[in-house]
Amino acid sequence: MQLSLDCLTLTDTKPVDLIAAAGTAGFELVSLWMNSASAFPRQVLAPGDFADCRQALADHGVSVHTLEAFDLSSESDIESYRAGLEMGARLGGKIALAYHSANPDRSHVADLLALMAETAHEYGLG
């Protein structure tokens, strides 16, 4: 069984530091925040952090599992998630975590979930 350190465990931590903490503490996996809509802006993996994070993953023997967190609010938002999904997949991410926070139309949310699943699948993500 592998253990994952969730990015919301260390809320004021940059992704590279989260990876280092996970490796030091003996975790094999991490989740990374890929979406800019975060209550904790330091957690968001920015394109400029990609190389440092890839190196930290290798240095600490940690892998990325979950890419967080994508709100199922609209079709255009899902389209805007592509860069984060692509970057997370390049780091070895396995799944994208999606949620819906305010859309009262359950049918629309179901359609958005299907679209999110299709979009994530384009990058090899569950």
Side-chain angles (χ1 to χ4, degrees), residues 35-103:
N35 180 14
S36 62
S38 171
F40 308 103
R42 287 183 54 144
Q43 289 187 324
V44 178
L45 185 89
D49 299 329
F50 179 83
D52 289 341
C53 285
R54 183 170 43 193
Q55 188 62 53
L57 290 165
D59 290 348
H60 295 283
V62 174
S63 298
V64 178
H65 187 264
T66 306
L67 307 177
E68 300 197 24
F70 303 94
D71 190 0
L72 302 173
S73 53
S74 71
E75 289 83 355
S76 62
D77 281 345
I78 292 172
E79 185 63 28
S80 75
Y81 300 151
R82 286 184 176 278
L85 294 169
E86 189 267 336
M87 186 169 40
R90 287 179 47 214
L91 286 173
K94 304 297 181 216
I95 64 170
L97 184 142
Y99 68 98
H100 86 90
S101 63
N103 190 336

Side-chain angles (χ1 to χ4, degrees), residues 11-30:
T11 57
D12 193 29
T13 304
K14 295 181 76 162
V16 70
D17 296 328
L18 176 79
I19 293 165
T24 300
F27 289 87
E28 295 92 356
L29 303 168
V30 293

